[in-house]
Amino acid sequence: MKLNRSVSRFALGAVLLGASAWNTFAAEETLRDLAKERGRYIGAILNSEWFRGDIEPEFEQIHKTQFNTVVAENEMKFDATEPSEGQFNYTYGDKMVQYAKENGMRVRGHALAWHSQVPNWVNNYKGQKEKLLQVLKTHIDSVVGHWKGDVAEWDVVNEAVNDGDHTWRDQGSVWFETIGEEFLDSAFVWAHAADPDAELCYNDYAIEWGLGQGSKAGFVLEQVKRWKENGIPITCVGTQTHIEIAHETTPENVRAFAKALAEYGVTLNITELDIGFPNGSASSLGAADYAKQGHLYRQFMDVFLEEPNMGEFVIWGLTDAHSWLDAQQGKTQGLLWDKQYKPKPAFDSLIVSFKAHPASEVVTPYKLDKDTTSIARHVESPRISASLVGRTLSISGASSAKIELFDMQGRPVFSGKAESSSINLSNIAEGLYVVRIHAGSANLIQRIAIK
Ligand code: XIL
């Protein structure tokens, strides 16, 4: 008997996705195709169990079918990539990059400068500013350099803002306590120098609580303004969005923050979404609860598709069988697939949201490749370039520009204005520097050797 098209597609989808009776769309569409048509990225982490080869085959099958963005749950963090000083371990990260290449996915790198999951050898340098600057710089140069061109976007700094008073995290962060605020600025400058094409994000939780007075989001916004004014090469903010089912107003907070960031030309990404129920409630959850969860997921997707400067929608896990919520957060059942890899109503809700936002109406913050087979990087600012001849730095693409020089530890050495497209640097001592050139909305950061 010949099956009609929709029946056969459903049958295929059901095998592939473990579609259950509550899913009507699972067989028809994939999140990644719908996202790609709209010039957007949708992702889920690769859990640590995947890296160790200790996960059910359904995981990868669903992951590569549904997502076009990938992030490592733990394997690109500082303690994973530089467990001992100067000894780098790229094995797991390379495995992910390879997987992404095979499956046409974009890689997010998570995370370079974070107070958590840093090895003891780093914490042992607490109080030694010069040393820690050098440690951070070496780490960023090496890790970003290793994956140059492969990692499209880095969380350069993660969770640097305090919970209580919404200023910098001044306790429990070896970076801030020893180096001060300049660790953030330097980290962005070094990451940009190591891979000028990578997008660079500031990532944090509780930004999605809104822009009220004294809010974390408000503080982050002030920093974005300062960074942009000073030519610090930030291109995106990540709002983690680990929330609970009761947080019904959160999607609109995200919308307001996306609009506020648009003023500075900075993209907002949802980077670690999960919507958990209280721990212990799993056995009593019914259809209405999962429908409510789906509704909330859908509202995030609606906002995401309606805001022109949002680029990525990343979920911190795929199946409730493998989630940090149960293990560490006192929450449960926060993801799109249940413990048996059956798609939950939240999956359908995302599909429905995509369909309610036709590709012709969704604006992408990214440049689309000509053949539209892939989404390229963030729209670039106008190009400028610089070359050093003797002691004269010549700039092309701008007649006047702000010039700043930093030593290799990121400390400012010189600041001046180039008129008539050049500046004389004869008073600068011989050595290797990072020069930052700022002209209108264009920025350039590169290394120069003054001889
Ligand atoms: C979590 C991982 O999921 C856990 O496996 C690990 O033990 C701790 O970190 N914010 C972040 C992520 O930026 O790196 C965290 O990931 C979740 C909260």
Side-chain angles (χ1 to χ4, degrees):
M1 190 186 79
K2 196 167 176 275
L3 293 171
N4 75 35
R5 187 166 165 268
S6 65
V7 172
S8 64
R9 282 184 76 190
F10 180 80
L12 176 68
V15 170
L16 197 61
L17 302 167
S20 67
W22 65 18
N23 286 90
T24 45
F25 295 101
E28 300 290 331
E29 311 277 359
T30 68
L31 297 172
R32 69 177 275 166
D33 287 347
L34 291 164
K36 191 174 138 187
E37 281 163 23
R38 288 155 182 77
R40 299 295 185 95
Y41 291 101
I42 185 157
I45 57 169
L46 286 173
N47 292 85
S48 290
E49 293 89 330
W50 177 86
F51 289 90
R52 298 195 301 263
D54 183 20
I55 203 157
E56 302 75 17
E58 290 93 326
F59 178 89
E60 188 175 309
Q61 197 51 48
I62 294 174
H63 193 277
K64 63 189 180 201
T65 307
Q66 294 294 339
F67 298 104
N68 62 1
T69 290
V70 73
V71 187
E73 181 170 27
N74 290 298
E75 289 65 21
M76 281 192 181
K77 293 174 181 174
F78 203 125
D79 58 355
T81 47
E82 196 180 353
S84 323
E85 186 168 2
Q87 305 288 310
F88 292 90
N89 184 347
Y90 300 125
T91 312
Y92 278 157
D94 286 346
K95 179 177 169 171
M96 178 170 76
V97 167
Q98 182 61 28
Y99 168 80
K101 282 186 180 159
E102 283 165 10
N103 296 296
M105 292 166 148
R106 183 181 205 245
V107 179
R108 288 199 89 237
H110 173 81
L112 297 170
W114 187 24
H115 64 278
S116 189
Q117 296 181 266
V118 276
N120 282 338
W121 70 263
V122 174
N123 286 310
N124 290 341
Y125 288 125
K126 188 172 167 186
Q128 298 180 42
K129 183 170 178 177
E130 298 298 308
K131 179 66 192 174
L132 269 187
L133 276 165
Q134 178 246 309
V135 163
L136 185 58
K137 179 171 189 304
T138 303
H139 184 78
I140 291 176
D141 280 356
S142 309
V143 173
V144 177
H146 178 78
W147 284 305
K148 183 175 190 292
D150 289 331
V151 170
E153 176 174 307
W154 280 102
D155 283 332
V156 178
V157 181
N158 195 30
E159 302 184 353
V161 181
N162 257 346
D163 286 336
D165 51 4
H166 299 139
T167 176
W168 295 122
R169 184 186 295 275
D170 49 9
Q171 279 174 16
S173 163
V174 71
W175 307 118
F176 187 84
E177 284 176 64
T178 302
I179 302 171
E181 186 178 73
E182 91 189 63
F183 99 79
L184 292 102
D185 302 23
S186 300
F188 277 103
V189 170
W190 293 328
H192 185 70
D195 186 352
D197 288 329
E199 296 212 39
L200 305 178
C201 295
Y202 175 78
N203 193 55
D204 212 331
Y205 60 89
I207 302 180
E208 61 279 353
W209 293 2
L211 271 166
Q213 221 197 343
S215 64
K216 201 163 177 173
F219 181 77
V220 171
L221 194 62
E222 275 171 39
Q223 304 316 311
V224 168
K225 180 169 185 280
R226 181 178 67 80
W227 283 325
K228 291 305 276 188
E229 281 169 2
N230 292 317
I232 298 291
I234 180 173
T235 67
C236 42
V237 170
T239 180
Q240 293 184 2
T241 327
H242 296 287
I243 66 155
E244 293 168 26
I245 197 74
H247 293 161
E248 290 170 358
T249 59
T250 317
E252 288 308 315
N253 295 338
V254 169
R255 188 195 299 281
F257 195 50
K259 287 193 192 303
L261 283 175
E263 298 272 308
Y264 304 104
V266 167
T267 311
L268 180 63
N269 294 320
I270 294 173
T271 50
E272 305 186 14
L273 181 61
D274 44 36
I275 305 179
F277 292 96
N279 225 353
S281 67
S283 58
S284 61
L285 296 173
D289 300 300
Y290 287 114
K292 188 174 176 197
Q293 182 183 46
H295 182 60
L296 206 40
Y297 261 103
R298 170 173 180 167
Q299 286 173 288
F300 279 107
M301 185 54 84
D302 287 348
V303 167
F304 173 73
L305 294 172
E306 287 160 18
E307 291 307 315
N309 72 321
M310 295 192 73
E312 286 173 324
F313 188 104
V314 181
I315 304 164
W316 204 249
L318 183 150
T319 161
D320 291 332
H322 301 281
S323 165
W324 81 308
L325 290 183
D326 299 84
Q328 297 172 19
Q329 292 297 296
K331 289 190 265 179
T332 192
Q333 314 295 111
L335 301 169
L336 298 186
W337 281 267
D338 73 9
K339 291 193 173 172
Q340 282 73 45
Y341 288 95
K342 290 205 174 75
K344 292 155 67 179
F347 174 77
D348 273 2
S349 301
L350 296 188
I351 299 274
V352 171
S353 175
F354 274 120
K355 291 188 147 184
H357 296 85
S360 57
E361 289 169 19
V362 176
V363 178
T364 174
Y366 303 106
K367 197 170 68 182
L368 291 173
D369 272 3
K370 278 189 215 83
D371 60 5
T372 65
T373 52
S374 64
I375 310 164
R377 61 182 297 273
H378 195 274
V379 176
E380 292 174 33
S381 32
R383 284 273 183 200
I384 45 175
S385 60
S387 57
L388 187 68
V389 180
R391 290 294 184 112
T392 303
L393 185 72
S394 303
I395 292 123
S396 64
S399 55
S400 89
K402 185 177 172 199
I403 309 292
E404 290 165 291
L405 274 194
F406 300 87
D407 68 14
M408 294 312 279
Q409 258 64 56
R411 287 168 300 215
V413 172
F414 167 83
S415 168
K417 200 162 181 214
E419 305 286 0
S420 313
S421 302
S422 72
I423 191 163
N424 190 300
L425 298 175
S426 46
N427 293 331
I428 309 295
E430 280 186 12
L432 207 53
Y433 297 90
V434 172
V435 62
R436 183 163 72 199
I437 302 163
H438 190 55
S441 63
N443 260 310
L444 176 72
I445 293 181
Q446 69 181 48
R447 279 177 223 211
I448 53 169
I450 296 193
K451 294 182 191 136

